[in-house]
Structures are given as structure tokens and as C-alpha cells.
Amino acid sequence: MEQLLKQIEDYKKEIESMTPGDAASLEAYRIKFLGTKGIVKSLFAEIKNVQNEMKKEIGQVLNDFKQFAESKYEYWKAATGASQPSAINKFDPSLPGDPLPSGTRHPISLVSNQIVHIFGRLGFSVAEGPEIEDDWHNFTPLNLPADHPARDMQDTFYIHKNPDWLLRTHTSSVQARVMEKQKPPIRIICPGRVYRNETISARAHCFFHQTEGLYVDEKVSFADLKQTLYFFVREMFGQDAKIRFRPSYFPFTEPSAEMDINCRICGGSGCNVCKHTGWVEILGSGMVHPKMLENFGIDSNKYTGFAFGMGIERICQLKYRINDLRLYSQNDLRFLKQFIAAV
Ligand code: DAH
């Protein structure tokens, strides 16, 4: 027993004299005293050689020693941990930094921004409206009353709780939002997301993007519409781009026209995108229907206007040769990383 107590005293002194300042010497200390084959364990193993009546007392002494050895370990561990920031102080600021990968813009945003930029140079300012729209703004003043057959042109997502509300099917709703507040001259461009109840495929999606344009003022003519869109197309696709207008029907314009450009993919020789015609439709347009102006209290004898609406995905397809609409919303970085801003 005496021998054991003397041993413990010596170990205590040994520990007191130690200052393991780094992780390696601390680990050496742990193995020596607290490890599975360490001193504390071997001292406990000695208990069996002590007389029975002394066992309790020696057990107490050994427990105290064990706690002492452990608390020293914890203390040093915390101290070496705390000293780690000094390593950070050794950080050399003159070393080259780790490069931060920068993000890229989504192709839809790039093209949308470019459209806004081009029309901005012609004096058009951006107007926006809600994506959850009421039935009235989406249809009624655009000459699409509740029972109008043209409503069938768009498969609409209605809001279950209140069928007066829907996900807007086109950005033409922003025309209504602006004309109810603003009097001519109006010159706006309205980019945004629209929704239609379509089965998702490479060529159709339940959401996509449009840009609407509206110009209402005195003496606005179809020639203005043509020249404005021609300017846009050449800025967007290059000075060699050609356009052609085909008569069409939209309830909110009279006359109405669809506009094609010469295919940017095959250059006119014929491909899948232009269905071997050499021409691709990019937008619908026309002179704002006088009734639509009157719906907003705008004197249709004094004012005329033109409007157009284009699908941004289609412009992207022609500009970047993206032939599957699903790519835009799959968030695949390999796809998204490829686009660089033009403006
Ligand atoms: N709103 C039409 C659509 O979604 C596109 C459109 C056609 C807009 C003619 C216009 C326009 O402003 O004048 O299909």
C-alpha cells in the first residue's frame, strides 16, 4: 500500500512538471497516463494486491489520481486548442487567394435583359404585372369576354380556391394593368413568366416567358410597328436578319400579324427548327384594337397604338440553338454555365 501511494505521489509530481504544448506531446501524455495500457489503468490493476480493508481507501486515492490526470489532460487540450488562432496569425496575406467561382446568368434572363435593353434605346420603359392575375385583366378588356371562343386558345390554370384568379396566360395582361392607370403616350416593354396547361415536352412547357410591347400615342401606324420590330430583330440577331409579316388574328389587335425571321439555325436552307421553310415565327403583333383603347377610356379617334408579344424561349432557341424547352428549368450547371452576357 505504501509503495503504491509513493508511486502515485511520484506520478503526480511528474505530471505537475509537464507542459505538453502541442498536439503530439499531449497525445503522448494521454497514451502514457490515460491509455488502455497506461499508468492509471495499471495502478487500478494493483488494487487486487491490497488487503481487503484498505481497498476502499486506495480506491479513493486512485480515483482522485485518475481525475487529476484527466483534468490536466482536458486543461492542456483546451490550451493547445486555444493556441490555434496563433497559427491563423501566421497567415500570409501576400499569397494568392483561392479563386471564388462566379455564377452566370440564366439564358432566359440574358435574352430578356437584352430585349429590354434594345427597346430601352427606343424609349420603351419596363412595366410589370402580377403572375397570379385576375380573370378580368388577363382576358376581358383584351376583347376576350367570358364566352369568347378565342379563350380556348390558351389552356388556363385557374386558382382552385377562387376561379376568378388564374396564372396569367400571357404578358398582355400587363397592357391592361398599365392602360387602366396611365394615359397616352404609353411606351412599355413587359417581360415576365406566363403559364399554360400544356403537357411538358421538348417543345411545350407549363410555364415559359414572354415580352409584351405596347406603344400608344397620336398617329402611331403599322409602319411604326414594322420599323420598330425590324430594328429589334437586327439588334438581336445581326444586321443580316430579315423579317416578314403574315396576317393573323388576335382579339386585341386589328389588323393582326405574326412576324417571322429568316432561320438563324440553317440560314434559310431548311432545318427542323424552321420546318424546312427557312422562316421561324417569333412574335404576334398588330394595331391595338380601338375597342380595347375605349375599354380604358382612351379616345380611339385621337390615339392609335401597336402591340406585340414574343416568347423569350423561342428567341433563346434561335440565338443559342437550344432545342429542348426542359433544359431551361432543369438547373443543370453544365447547361447553365455556358451563357455569357451580351449587354
Ligand atoms: N398574347 C399573345 C399570346 O400569348 C401574343 C400577342 C399577340 C401579344 C399579339 C400581343 C399582340 O401584344 O399584339 O399568344
Side-chain angles (χ1 to χ4, degrees), residues 132-135 157-167:
I132 301 176
E133 187 53 281
D134 56 63
D135 187 277
F157 285 118
Y158 285 92
I159 306 284
H160 192 57
K161 275 194 174 165
N162 183 351
D164 265 353
W165 289 87
L166 46 83
L167 299 181

Side-chain angles (χ1 to χ4, degrees), residues 19-33:
T19 42
D22 55 50
S25 46
L26 186 63
E27 182 60 4
Y29 166 83
R30 191 191 64 76
I31 293 167
K32 181 173 177 187
F33 284 93

Side-chain angles (χ1 to χ4, degrees), residues 56-126:
K56 193 174 167 200
E57 195 182 330
I58 197 78
Q60 185 66 48
V61 173
L62 275 174
N63 268 332
D64 287 350
F65 176 65
K66 185 181 171 210
Q67 263 175 24
F68 170 78
E70 280 175 351
S71 62
K72 279 286 180 193
Y73 175 71
E74 291 303 329
Y75 173 77
W76 286 324
K77 197 168 120 183
T80 48
S83 70
Q84 270 167 13
S86 69
I88 289 170
N89 292 338
K90 288 187 196 127
F91 169 70
D92 179 354
S94 67
L95 288 173
D98 293 330
L100 273 182
S102 60
T104 54
R105 283 196 199 282
H106 194 284
I108 296 289
S109 305
L110 288 178
V111 167
S112 174
N113 290 347
Q114 205 183 342
I115 296 171
V116 166
H117 181 79
I118 295 169
F119 282 101
R121 287 166 54 202
L122 295 176
F124 285 74
S125 52
V126 173

